[in-house]
Amino acid sequence: MPLSEILRIAFSSIGVNKLRSGLTMFGITIGVFSVIGVMTAVTALRSSIELNLSFLGSNTFQFGKYPVAAGGPDRRKYDMRRNITLAQARRYQELMAGTTNAICLKVFHYNTAQAVYNGRETTPDVTFGGTNEYFLSANQYEMALGRNLQPEDIELGRPVIVIGQDIVKRLFPVENPLGKVIKLKGRTYTVIGTFAEKGTTFGQSNDNIAMIPITRFFSDMGGESYTVNIATEAPSHLAYNDTLDKGITAMRIVRGLRPEQENDFELYSNDSILGIFAKVADVIASGSFVISGIALLAAGVGIMNIMLVSVTERTREIGIRKSIGARKHSILTQFLFEAVTISLVGGLFGIVLGVGVGNLAAVLMKAGAVIPWDWVGLGVLVCTGIGVGFGFYPAWKAASLDPVEALRSE
């Protein structure tokens, strides 16, 4: 029997029992959807992180009191650490002077901060901090107008400020902000520059930011409750590991640690941040695999069940076909195609639904849409395997029927 005829009979047989076939397909759809949906969202988020969450410059590593993710039961451990003081940060700069001069010191006020100018106000969630002249390269910002902070600004503690585009749009919708005096946390600062627009990461604006000289920050805000982050840029990619080793040594010296004491500071880079996300993504993926595995196993059993019922209902048809010359492999192929078709159609619905919902979740989290072709291909292969694996026994049973006994059946 030609393959086209086998396919026609397979599809027509499925169409005879639409409800039964549809319910079985639905089980496959749920299983595939759970994996494809999760992996689509994870793939989109991973791509977004690689493009946008690289907040440190190239060849840059950072020391801080807290790790990137400092929540949960370990939070108290990090809270108990000593702050990294401005004096320690400056001592670190001195020790690293022969290795690199591109060291960014930065400190942030993480509570509410609101910028005010001429009766206009920003939202009370401005990221307000102090830094030095290396903030741009260490954090992947660029200047739009005016100038960056200079060493003289830091040494003299000048009341000057560089602001992001969100603040510019709020306070200076039709004015040039340069030279204007704004108030922030009860203090006044002269705008000397504006950052170029950087966009958002997971819905968090990178442009709602205002940075002043770090010395001025400690003078105005007080230093006891703030800890300094130290970002160090290696001279080149080849010198990164050597610079990192010297940086850790210098950091231990300024912290006064003995050789047997563990580090009381955190080290992280873009790669470590991606690694943290990868671990979270792996946990999420593992959970989705368990759920989808249970759903696909149940759906596979469903396919076997309805195919066995189909063989029972079509026993006389099989006997007639065999009596007029139908070969065993033709019967086997027909029933296998029916099982694979049910599995594949259900899987394709799951893939389409999973890609759509996964991308919707990613877009809501401000990540770009993607199609995870590797997971789509794997989904098709898995669905084909389920159809063959769970459909083989019913197909073999149909092909093995004795034509005489089959014709005698009621």
Side-chain angles (χ1 to χ4, degrees):
M1 181 181 293
L3 180 61
S4 59
E5 182 66 15
I6 292 175
L7 287 173
R8 187 191 65 78
I9 295 174
F11 277 107
S12 63
S13 299
I14 293 172
V16 171
N17 296 290
K18 296 182 178 64
L19 179 60
R20 188 168 64 191
S21 300
L23 290 174
T24 306
M25 290 178 187
F26 183 71
I28 296 288
T29 298
I30 293 300
V32 174
F33 161 74
S34 62
V35 171
I36 298 297
V38 169
M39 296 315 300
T40 298
V42 167
T43 301
L45 291 174
R46 188 188 299 271
S47 176
S48 176
I49 284 175
E50 291 174 351
L51 291 173
N52 301 318
L53 197 60
S54 298
F55 68 90
L56 295 177
S58 59
N59 304 322
T60 300
F61 56 88
Q62 181 165 299
F63 296 114
K65 175 181 177 179
Y66 297 96
V68 175
D74 293 331
R75 176 72 189 193
R76 179 167 175 77
K77 167 189 172 182
Y78 303 122
D79 286 335
M80 294 299 291
R81 285 176 173 174
R82 297 171 295 158
N83 287 336
I84 299 174
T85 66
L86 182 57
Q88 290 175 347
R90 284 183 156 176
R91 175 61 177 152
Y92 174 87
Q93 286 181 301
E94 294 174 1
L95 293 174
M96 294 294 289
T99 305
T100 179
N101 290 320
I103 300 173
C104 172
L105 309 183
K106 50 187 176 179
V107 60
F108 294 98
H109 178 79
Y110 288 108
N111 297 322
T112 57
Q114 185 175 46
V116 180
Y117 169 74
N118 199 25
R120 289 188 287 269
E121 300 176 343
T122 66
T123 54
D125 57 355
V126 172
T127 299
F128 176 50
T131 188
N132 62 7
E133 65 271 25
Y134 295 107
F135 183 79
L136 295 179
S137 59
N139 296 274
Q140 296 192 342
Y141 276 90
E142 296 178 357
M143 295 299 296
L145 292 175
R147 67 174 178 86
N148 186 27
L149 297 173
Q150 300 298 320
E152 295 80 8
D153 298 321
I154 284 74
E155 289 303 317
L156 299 175
R158 290 171 176 163
V160 294
I161 192 167
V162 181
I163 59 176
Q165 290 300 311
D166 286 356
I167 300 174
V168 173
K169 293 172 184 177
R170 283 274 191 163
L171 302 186
F172 308 101
V174 294
E175 295 180 66
N176 186 329
L178 299 183
K180 302 299 190 302
V181 177
I182 67 173
K183 180 177 288 188
L184 215 156
K185 298 300 292 182
R187 306 283 181 165
T188 57
Y189 305 98
T190 301
V191 178
I192 60 170
T194 65
F195 294 116
E197 189 167 358
K198 192 177 180 182
T200 61
T201 302
F202 300 135
Q204 181 68 39
S205 175
N206 296 307
D207 300 311
N208 195 27
I209 185 170
M211 302 300 293
I212 64 175
I214 191 168
T215 48
R216 189 73 189 192
F217 182 93
F218 276 100
S219 174
D220 289 350
M221 305 298 295
E224 294 184 359
S225 59
Y226 294 96
T227 183
V228 179
N229 291 325
I230 306 172
T232 305
E233 185 178 355
S236 66
H237 180 70
L238 293 176
Y240 180 85
N241 289 334
D242 182 59
T243 306
L244 176 59
D245 290 340
K246 291 180 178 179
I248 294 173
T249 300
M251 196 66 190
R252 288 182 60 85
I253 290 173
V254 302
R255 298 288 278 175
L257 297 176
R258 296 188 299 275
E260 70 275 8
Q261 289 181 297
E262 66 176 15
N263 294 339
D264 63 348
F265 53 86
E266 293 295 321
L267 165 68
Y268 50 92
S269 62
N270 289 330
D271 290 340
S272 67
I273 295 170
L274 291 174
I276 291 172
F277 174 79
K279 291 180 181 179
V280 174
D282 290 343
V283 172
I284 295 173
S286 299
S288 71
F289 288 153
V290 172
I291 295 172
S292 64
I294 294 172
L296 290 175
L297 178 62
V301 173
I303 288 175
M304 180 182 290
N305 182 56
I306 71 162
M307 293 307 300
L308 287 172
V309 172
S310 180
V311 170
T312 301
E313 292 175 342
R314 295 155 62 187
T315 299
R316 287 183 61 82
E317 173 195 329
I318 295 169
I320 293 172
R321 290 182 58 196
K322 280 196 166 187
S323 67
I324 59 177
R327 296 182 179 180
K328 185 176 181 178
H329 72 82
S330 295
I331 304 295
L332 179 70
T333 302
Q334 177 193 333
F335 278 86
L336 267 182
F337 265 109
E338 289 183 25
V340 170
T341 299
I342 291 173
S343 182
L344 271 180
V345 172
L348 290 175
F349 276 117
I351 289 171
V352 172
L353 188 61
V355 170
V357 173
N359 277 316
L360 177 61
V363 169
L364 290 175
M365 290 183 282
K366 308 299 181 181
V370 298
I371 298 179
W373 292 110
D374 50 345
W375 288 98
V376 169
L378 181 61
V380 172
L381 289 176
V382 168
C383 290
T384 303
I386 289 173
V388 173
F390 286 92
F392 183 81
Y393 174 69
W396 173 82
K397 186 175 181 180
S400 301
L401 284 174
D402 181 84
V404 176
E405 293 297 326
L407 288 171
R408 287 176 178 173
S409 64
E410 293 296 332

